[in-house]
Amino acid sequence: MTWNPLKKNHLTQRPTPAPPLLTHLEDRELDIAVQRLIYVEDTIRKLTKEMKKYIEAVLNLDRADQRLTLNLTTCGLAHLSDEFRKVVENYHSVTTQIGKTVQEMAALCQKTFIEPLKKLRDEFILIAAAIAKREELVTTWKYSYNRVKKLQEKKDRTASHIAKLERERRTEEAAAKDLKTVHAQLLVELPMFLDKRLEYIKPSIHAVIMIQLDYYGSATHLFTHLMPVPNTLGSPSSAMVPEVEYQQAVTDQMNRIRALTIVKDH
């Protein structure tokens, strides 16, 4: 099944209070934790969506750059002057070199940012299931609790009524125990998950920054060297980065990015 970052969030339901079994403070603590998680999941969804849009924009820009420079090289006007022809050819050479890094940059953004955040967002499926389980327990307990109250309000003192009341009390006690156990577990695990989210996301942000620094830095370097150098007798091409040197620099930087923990773990 294809993952769709535009789909609605998994976690949308806030926990239902369960007085008098749970205190106002206990209910409020869980509600605050869930609200924070709802916000975090929505933020992750938006970040993933924007990263996909960013990758698409960079790929489209690269395609446009290469079409532009290719058209310039085949334009008759570019061949009226040898000097201008060399500038145009070098311009196309630069966009071609940059184009070689764009696909890998897109793949690295997918690997270091989108995929880890997708895995993080998948955790919200489990959280939503845990909240839903608690809601079922709240419903079950409230039903039993109200049944006991109604039976207690009756004046009936027959043996059958007393036996029925006792059965309902045992049912209510069991439901209350299950609810309190799950509630207490959520109060421990949800804040723990919130505390660790930054530790998980930080390497992805770091990786994206490194990828962008490499991509935009390389592009700036190439375009800077494309311009004619004052007091240089050679053509603009003399200032171009040799292909072997450029590819080695790109390889070294990509190896650094691949060595990041976030890449190794995924």
Side-chain angles (χ1 to χ4, degrees), residues 78-92:
H79 295 271
L80 296 178
S81 164
D82 287 342
E83 183 179 356
F84 184 54
R85 176 180 56 79
K86 289 178 181 179
V87 170
V88 170
E89 288 175 350
N90 288 335
Y91 181 21
H92 181 58

Side-chain angles (χ1 to χ4, degrees), residues 59 74 129 131 144 156 205 212 219 223 232 251 263:
L59 291 172
T74 58
I131 298 298
S144 295
D156 192 345
I205 303 298
Q212 289 186 325
F223 276 111
T232 299
T251 300
V263 179

